[in-house]
């Protein structure tokens, strides 16, 4: 939009002032004739805050040949524009420039018209006049003078796909990315090159929903936001491969000691326990917590060798067996007393005949005199190591009388090794045989002293039964008679000797 002001300077330097805004004026005044063909005038700002002015001079009877900027103002001519710029805003009254005009011919100098064109968007970033001539500030100037196009002509993303497909006038989008995408980058293309992307070209993502905003600023500072709803997928449930570890990291036992010492890759062991241990407990520690003990933590024990197996199943089904050979000792029998090596007979009794000498455990040879002829008789005896056993009835030895006329008792001690032999010679007392004149005889080992062999036997009464006559002989009485007569003769002889003295 443009506004035209015409300032007419009359001859003799009468100046007219043109009002350009309610806040102040731009004045063309103090015109002066320099010579017959030249004159000059001044451009003043009255009661304005200004640092920029754009004008166009139209002089009907001349042209501007020189412009002298004053008081820190700079002058730049661009085509038909005369632009005055000040570094910093000048407040109040300010003389901007002196303008020299060369007239055509020798006519009196008169400035027929000067056109002041105030363009809304002249002077990038400077103060300027609005379309009505009022002074505006920078922000208002930018808003009015620059493009408000903050759209994007295209938008791409580093991950995923926009939904819907990008359109410049569509401001809401969504997309989904995998869990492993923790940051997304947006690549926007501006519709207006003078616009700029303020923020949002990258966006950090958490698991789940994320709102990412791309803010675009137009040349006139208007802002436009594109919103992209980004869904980051949840972390996938990763199923690790199942372990095939079916080993133990340690193994302890309730009794005994493993041999060898436990090692996870050694699966065979042995140990020994006392007979009092009838059950053993194993305490295994798994190398992998996902494995399982199938069996074998306890094992019942018999005497001798027992095979105890601990079976482990890995997570993937792999099995492993630890084999422990447990030897349970045999029960210890109570200590037996030492076996006697004594083969001595403690006492002995013959059921027939007379034993001579009287039995003594340390005498091994005896004679048994029988008073009758028999085929056999019994000898009962007790061995030393048996005599304290009240339930034992002793040994019963049957002595068979044969031509040897003797019997031997072999005694074996408790130890089964030591022996003693007790020997018994047999003789028999018999009657006078009528065939030999009635003389008495004694049977002996060679059988020459009597008519018949006699078996061992003893009569406590001293009587001998004659099997031929049936009479009861009294040899003891006869013997006593002979002995009595002998003792009487000895007595008388000693008595006579004493009397002589």
């Amino acid at each position: 939009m443009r506004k035209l002001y015409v300032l007419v300077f009359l001859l003799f330097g009468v100046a007219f002032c043109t009002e350009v805004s309610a806040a102040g004026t731009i004045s063309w005044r103090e015109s002066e004739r320099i010579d017959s063909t030249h004159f000059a005038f001044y451009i003043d700002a009255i009661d304005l805050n200004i640092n920029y002015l754009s004008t166009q001079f139209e002089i009907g009877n001349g042209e501007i040949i020189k412009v002298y900027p004053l008081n820190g103002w700079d002058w730049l001519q661009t085509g038909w524009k005369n632009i005055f710029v000040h570094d910093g805003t000048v407040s109040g009254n300010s003389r901007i420039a002196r303008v020299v005009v060369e007239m055509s011919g020798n006519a009196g100098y008169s400035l027929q018209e000067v056109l002041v064109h105030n363009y809304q968007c002249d002077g990038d970033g400077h103060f300027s006049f609005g379309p009505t001539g009022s002074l505006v500030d920078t922000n208002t100037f930018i808003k009015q003078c620059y493009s408000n196009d903050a759209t994007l002509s295209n938008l791409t993303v580093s991950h995923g796909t926009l939904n819907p497909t990008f359109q410049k006038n569509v401001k809401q989008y969504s997309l989904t990315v995998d869990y492993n995408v923790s940051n997304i980058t947006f690549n926007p293309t501006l519709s207006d090159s003078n616009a700029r992307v303020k923020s949002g070209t990258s966006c950090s993502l958490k698991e789940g929903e994320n709102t990412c905003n791309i803010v675009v600023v137009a040349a006139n500072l208007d802002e436009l936001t594109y919103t992209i709803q980004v869904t980051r997928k949840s972390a996938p449930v990763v199923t690790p491969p199942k372990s095939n570890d079916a080993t133990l990291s340690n193994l302890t036992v309730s009794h005994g000691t493993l041999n060898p010492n436990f090692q996870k890759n050694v699966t065979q062991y042995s140990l020994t326990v006392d007979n009092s241990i009838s059950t053993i407990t194993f305490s295994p520690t798994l190398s992998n917590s996902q494995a399982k003990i199938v069996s074998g933590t306890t094992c019942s024990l018999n005497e001798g060798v027992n095979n105890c197996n601990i079976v482990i199943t890995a997570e993937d089904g792999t099995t492993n067996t630890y084999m422990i050979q447990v030897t349970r000792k045999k029960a210890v029998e109570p200590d037996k007393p030492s076996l006697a090596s004594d083969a001595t007979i403690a006492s002995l009794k013959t059921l027939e005949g007379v034993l001579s000498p009287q039995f003594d455990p340390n005498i091994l040879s005896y004679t048994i005199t029988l008073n009758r002829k028999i085929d056999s008789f019994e000898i009962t005896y007790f061995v030393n190591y048996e005599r304290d056993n009240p339930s034992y009835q002793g040994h019963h030895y049957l002595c068979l009388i044969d031509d040897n006329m003797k019997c031997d008792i072999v005694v074996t001690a408790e130890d089964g090794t030591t022996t003693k032999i007790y020997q018994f010679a047999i003789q028999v007392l018999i009657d006078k045989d009528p065939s030999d004149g009635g003389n008495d005889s004694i049977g002996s080992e060679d059988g020459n002293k009597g008519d018949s062999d006699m078996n061992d036997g003893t009569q406590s009464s001293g009587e001998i039964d004659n099997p031929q006559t049936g009479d009861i002989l009294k040899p003891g009485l006869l013997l006593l008679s002979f002995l009595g007569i002998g003792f009487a003769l000895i007595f008388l002889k000693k008595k006579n000797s004493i009397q002589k003295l």
Side-chain angles (χ1 to χ4, degrees):
M1 183 175 180
R2 163 191 231 179
K3 189 169 184 179
L4 177 63
Y5 295 89
V6 179
L7 285 77
V8 179
F9 288 83
L10 300 179
L11 189 61
F12 309 118
V14 177
F16 290 87
C17 295
T18 301
E19 183 177 326
V20 296
S21 73
T25 60
I26 296 295
S27 176
W28 324 103
R29 59 185 179 172
E30 296 183 15
S31 58
E32 60 176 314
R33 189 180 183 96
I34 298 173
D35 53 36
S36 59
T37 58
H38 297 87
F39 73 94
F41 66 90
Y42 293 91
I43 302 174
D44 291 336
I46 307 299
D47 195 20
L48 289 174
N49 295 327
I50 190 171
N51 72 343
Y52 177 86
L53 178 65
S54 175
T55 64
Q56 180 180 356
F57 299 106
E58 294 183 6
I59 302 173
N61 61 339
E63 61 179 344
I64 295 174
I65 60 172
K66 191 67 175 177
V67 174
Y68 296 95
L70 304 172
N71 302 316
W73 286 88
D74 292 322
W75 169 69
L76 175 65
Q77 187 173 25
T78 304
W80 49 267
K81 289 183 180 182
N82 289 277
I83 299 172
F84 297 92
V85 179
H86 192 279
D87 184 14
T89 300
V90 178
S91 300
N93 301 327
S94 176
R95 176 155 286 184
I96 297 172
R98 181 172 183 264
V99 182
V100 177
V101 179
E102 184 178 28
M103 296 181 291
S104 300
N106 290 323
Y109 72 96
S110 65
L111 186 60
Q112 294 181 353
E113 58 183 1
V114 177
L115 301 179
V116 179
H117 302 279
N118 292 317
Y119 294 96
Q120 177 182 359
C121 295
D122 285 344
D124 185 12
H126 297 284
F127 291 110
S128 182
F129 293 99
T132 62
S134 61
L135 192 66
V136 297
D137 58 22
T138 302
N139 289 337
T140 303
F141 172 79
I142 292 172
K143 289 287 186 184
Q144 294 177 352
C145 296
Y146 289 93
S147 170
N148 64 353
D149 187 357
T151 63
L152 299 177
S153 62
N154 193 26
L155 177 63
T156 60
V157 293
S158 59
H159 302 280
T161 303
L162 289 175
N163 183 29
T165 302
F166 180 79
Q167 299 178 52
K168 65 185 297 183
N169 295 320
V170 176
K171 309 301 186 300
Q172 301 286 334
Y173 298 89
S174 66
L175 61 87
T176 300
V177 297
D178 291 333
Y179 171 78
N180 61 355
V181 178
S182 59
N183 187 279
I184 191 169
T185 301
F186 300 100
N187 300 302
T189 301
L190 296 167
S191 297
D192 180 3
S193 62
N194 291 319
R196 62 185 177 87
V197 177
K198 180 179 180 179
S199 62
T201 55
S202 76
C203 185
S204 295
L205 303 177
K206 67 180 185 300
E207 188 176 332
E209 299 295 323
N210 300 267
T211 300
C212 301
N213 294 318
I214 301 173
V215 180
V216 183
V217 180
N220 74 342
L221 303 182
D222 285 349
E223 292 186 358
L224 180 64
T225 300
Y226 290 88
T227 300
I228 303 93
Q229 199 71 28
V230 180
T231 301
R232 181 183 176 187
K233 292 180 180 179
S234 298
V237 178
V238 179
T239 303
K242 292 183 178 181
S243 170
N244 63 353
D245 188 353
T247 64
L248 298 178
S249 62
N250 193 28
L251 177 63
T252 59
V253 293
S254 58
H255 303 282
T257 303
L258 288 176
N259 181 31
N261 292 332
F262 180 79
Q263 299 179 54
K264 66 185 296 183
N265 295 320
V266 177
T267 57
Q268 294 188 348
Y269 299 87
S270 64
L271 61 88
T272 300
V273 298
D274 291 336
N275 179 264
S276 61
I277 307 302
S278 60
T279 301
I280 191 169
T281 300
F282 299 99
S283 300
T285 302
L286 293 167
S287 298
N288 185 287
S289 61
Q290 301 304 315
K292 294 181 179 179
I293 305 295
V294 176
S295 62
T297 54
T298 62
C299 186
S300 296
L301 303 177
N302 298 317
E303 283 189 4
V305 177
N306 300 265
N307 292 319
C308 302
N309 295 325
I310 302 173
V311 180
I312 301 100
T313 301
E315 186 183 16
D316 69 349
T318 300
T319 60
N320 187 24
T321 301
Y322 288 85
M323 294 173 285
I324 303 94
Q325 189 176 80
V326 181
T327 300
R328 180 183 176 187
K329 294 179 180 179
K330 291 185 178 181
V332 178
E333 295 181 0
D335 291 338
K336 293 182 179 180
S338 58
L339 298 177
S341 60
D342 187 0
T344 303
I345 292 177
S347 62
L348 181 144
K349 179 181 179 182
T350 177
L351 300 183
E352 296 285 344
V354 176
L355 182 68
S356 178
Q358 185 178 353
F359 179 76
D360 184 328
N362 297 316
I363 297 174
L364 302 180
S365 295
Y366 298 88
T367 298
I368 297 176
T369 303
L370 300 175
N371 61 4
R372 63 192 180 101
K373 184 179 180 181
I374 57 177
D375 295 327
S376 64
F377 64 94
E378 186 177 273
I379 299 175
T380 301
Y381 65 91
F382 288 85
V383 181
N384 264 344
Y385 69 84
E386 297 171 336
R387 63 183 176 180
D388 294 329
N389 187 346
S391 64
Y392 196 75
Q393 302 299 317
H395 297 271
H396 300 276
Y397 174 74
L398 183 62
C399 180
L400 298 176
I401 302 173
D402 57 14
D403 293 339
N404 293 324
M405 298 296 287
K406 64 179 181 178
C407 292
D408 293 338
I409 297 177
V410 179
V411 181
T412 301
E414 187 181 19
D415 63 7
T417 302
T418 305
T419 61
K420 279 187 178 183
I421 301 174
Y422 287 82
Q423 297 177 333
F424 300 90
I426 310 300
Q427 64 181 13
V428 180
L429 294 179
I430 60 175
D431 291 335
K432 176 181 176 183
D433 192 332
S435 62
D436 62 4
N439 294 326
D440 293 336
S441 65
I442 298 175
S444 62
E445 293 180 4
D446 56 9
N448 296 322
K449 294 184 179 181
D451 295 330
S452 62
D453 295 330
M454 301 295 291
N455 291 327
D456 295 305
T458 301
Q459 295 286 351
S460 60
S461 62
E463 297 178 346
I464 299 176
D465 183 14
N466 189 331
Q468 295 179 351
T469 63
D471 295 332
I472 301 302
L473 299 179
K474 297 181 180 179
L477 294 175
L478 294 175
L479 180 61
L480 289 175
S481 297
F482 289 124
L483 290 174
I485 294 171
F487 282 121
L489 292 174
I490 294 171
F491 176 77
L492 291 175
K493 185 177 182 180
K494 287 185 177 182
K495 182 177 179 181
N496 293 329
S497 299
I498 292 172
Q499 290 177 353
K500 290 179 180 181
L501 295 174

